[in-house]
Amino acid sequence: MTTDTAGSEGSSGADPAELITRNVAEAVTSEEVEALAADPAGKRAYVGYEPSGVLHVGHLLTANKLIDLQRAGMEVVVLLADVHAYLNGKGSFEEIRETAERMKAQFLAYGLDEENTEFVYGSSYQLEEDYGLDLHALELETSLNRAQRAMAELQGGETPRVSHVVYPLMQALDIEYLDLDLAVGGIDQRKVHMLARETLPELGYEARPCLHTPIVADLTTGEGKMSSSAGVTISMADSTEELAEKVNSAFCPPTRDPEGDLENPVLELFEYHVFPRFAEVVVERPEEYGGDLEYGSYEDLAADLESGELHPADAKGALAASLDELIEPGRAKLRELE
RNA sequence: CCGCUCUUAGCUCAGCCUGGUAGAGCAGUCGACUGUAGAUCGACUUGUCCCCCGUUCAAAUCGGGGAGAGCGGACCA
């Protein structure tokens, strides 16, 4: 069905600089990131995650980038942001820690290299005096308006709390306290990272470069960002059947660039999730329609979809199978943890 | 502490004044049509009306109590 490349080479991935910058929505700044890419060995990059019991494609997209960075020789730090989760009303520290451990196990199952990944709990340093005082200094440097623009989106109807504006300030400080060379996040983290780059120097620290991954569009509509709610997103908890059903019902016009602001989520999943992990994708196709097809790159597949050579229904079958293979280890781990 | 407002379908809300066990839009589900999805037609589903007590033949609606949420309460004008 698909050929795993995670261990060895990788079709387009031998070059570290290419690994670091591929499939990225934005590098801030590209000069700084290029400088890093020129000598990636031992450099530290991170993504912060609010603990979640089940990983979904959103998590996996940044995880793919972390895997890229590891293969390029960098050290990876995964922040299990328990204090952030607490600030976001996600429960007691005990509950949060439990979901964080599940999250960690899933990341490892997904393919992060255990040797080169440092999992850090936010609470292990964010409650120290130095951190607290620096946080207050940052609060002093930051207008309420600015912090509000950087804060995470509120859950429907929720009213903003002071905790919500402290949240992004802590994200900024984390970049310093985790001793990083690079901050990674979805493009939705852009404002936070910009805040960090602007304010860290005010405290006498160095601004770090950032890499922002794209965000996959909503599966069923192709609009905006895919919702992370269960039942809508694709997650480690999906069975093979659920996966097939979700992918089959996905919006998929035979083009890379649908009308208006719409995206083609099926192609996006191939581009950001499948091809980065597999050297080849085999599309099984009934003889009636011409028999199986093989693709070694996203470009080839997308081109065939646009030309009509590859029918969306067949593409979906291959996508579901590939995603299933990617998710299987995490799914097994979840079952084991039950 | 005081005052005002809000609480009805998954979501946004209407209905309350002038009691008769509930509606719209969106979402969702299912068919038709396309070898996917969408679009387009066609059909359909959904509710402790925040809780308790009371008035009444009858309460989402009236009265009392309670809970949750939001906003406001210097000065100036």
Side-chain angles (χ1 to χ4, degrees):
Chain A
M1 201 137 300
T2 40
T3 310
D4 200 332
T5 63
S8 46
E9 30 76 57
S11 54
S12 59
D15 174 29
E18 159 66 12
L19 277 173
I20 291 170
T21 56
R22 71 174 179 178
N23 286 342
V24 142
E26 174 187 52
V28 180
T29 61
S30 39
E31 288 74 21
E32 292 172 54
V33 171
E34 276 165 29
L36 255 188
D39 181 23
K43 295 296 194 313
R44 287 163 64 83
Y46 107 119
V47 178
Y49 298 99
E50 226 181 83
S52 161
V54 174
L55 297 193
H56 56 69
V57 280
H59 297 118
L60 301 184
L61 189 43
T62 44
N64 286 341
K65 180 47 63 188
L66 292 181
I67 291 171
D68 285 343
L69 298 179
Q70 285 182 329
R71 290 172 64 195
M74 296 180 71
E75 284 173 26
V76 156
V77 178
V78 170
L79 173 64
L80 299 171
D82 55 345
V83 176
H84 284 95
Y86 180 77
L87 287 173
N88 227 345
K90 294 296 165 60
S92 71
F93 276 93
E94 249 177 75
E95 295 164 335
I96 292 167
R97 183 164 290 256
E98 203 169 299
T99 56
E101 286 300 317
R102 282 164 56 104
M103 178 177 237
K104 173 180 171 181
Q106 289 170 82
F107 272 130
L108 291 174
Y110 182 62
L112 279 181
D113 174 15
E114 189 157 14
E115 297 289 301
N116 287 308
T117 307
E118 187 184 335
F119 289 91
V120 180
Y121 273 98
S123 56
S124 69
Y125 64 92
Q126 290 163 344
L127 305 176
E128 298 294 319
E129 181 174 334
D130 288 356
Y131 188 96
L133 290 176
D134 269 345
L135 179 57
H136 290 323
L138 247 191
E139 290 161 3
L140 200 51
E141 289 297 330
T142 311
S143 74
L144 189 53
N145 191 25
R146 183 75 192 273
Q148 220 158 345
R149 286 190 286 125
M151 77 185 178
E153 275 183 47
L154 299 169
Q155 309 289 352
E158 199 184 359
T159 44
R161 310 276 160 171
V162 175
S163 62
H164 291 130
V165 296
V166 170
Y167 190 111
L169 301 187
M170 287 179 59
Q171 287 181 271
L173 260 196
D174 289 339
I175 294 170
E176 167 64 26
Y177 275 74
L178 291 171
D179 191 24
L180 305 170
D181 299 292
L182 176 69
V184 178
I187 192 72
D188 58 318
Q189 295 302 305
R190 189 170 200 282
K191 287 195 170 84
V192 172
H193 289 154
M194 292 308 164
L195 179 73
R197 285 176 61 87
E198 197 171 315
T199 54
L200 284 182
E202 301 292 327
L203 305 198
Y205 301 132
E206 203 178 322
R208 316 297 152 79
C210 317
L211 274 188
H212 298 144
T213 65
I215 289 190
V216 175
D218 184 271
L219 248 198
T220 58
T221 65
E223 297 169 340
K225 324 294 178 221
M226 184 182 314
S227 161
S228 58
S229 7
V232 181
T233 186
I234 287 169
S235 83
M236 290 286 192
D238 288 332
S239 67
T240 302
E241 296 70 32
E242 286 171 324
L243 207 52
E245 204 174 309
K246 285 179 182 179
V247 170
N248 181 52
S249 61
F251 176 68
C252 185
T255 169
R256 271 178 248 236
D257 195 22
E259 291 185 39
D261 297 329
L262 301 180
E263 302 295 335
N264 186 323
V266 170
L267 282 182
E268 288 185 326
L269 289 171
F270 268 116
E271 184 175 15
Y272 304 131
H273 290 276
V274 178
F275 281 103
R277 298 291 303 276
F278 297 119
E280 259 186 4
V281 174
V282 176
V283 176
E284 293 184 351
R285 194 166 64 168
E287 281 309 322
E288 173 191 1
Y289 297 122
D292 295 359
L293 290 168
E294 281 184 24
Y295 294 101
S297 76
Y298 165 72
E299 274 310 314
D300 294 345
L301 185 147
D304 269 10
L305 187 83
E306 284 200 311
S307 74
E309 173 63 27
L310 173 63
H311 191 277
D314 296 323
K316 283 179 173 181
L319 177 62
S322 302
L323 291 176
D324 189 56
E325 196 173 335
L326 282 172
I327 278 169
E328 173 50 31
R331 182 164 51 206
K333 177 57 75 177
L334 272 180
R335 269 198 297 264
E336 182 187 318
L337 293 176
E338 273 312 315

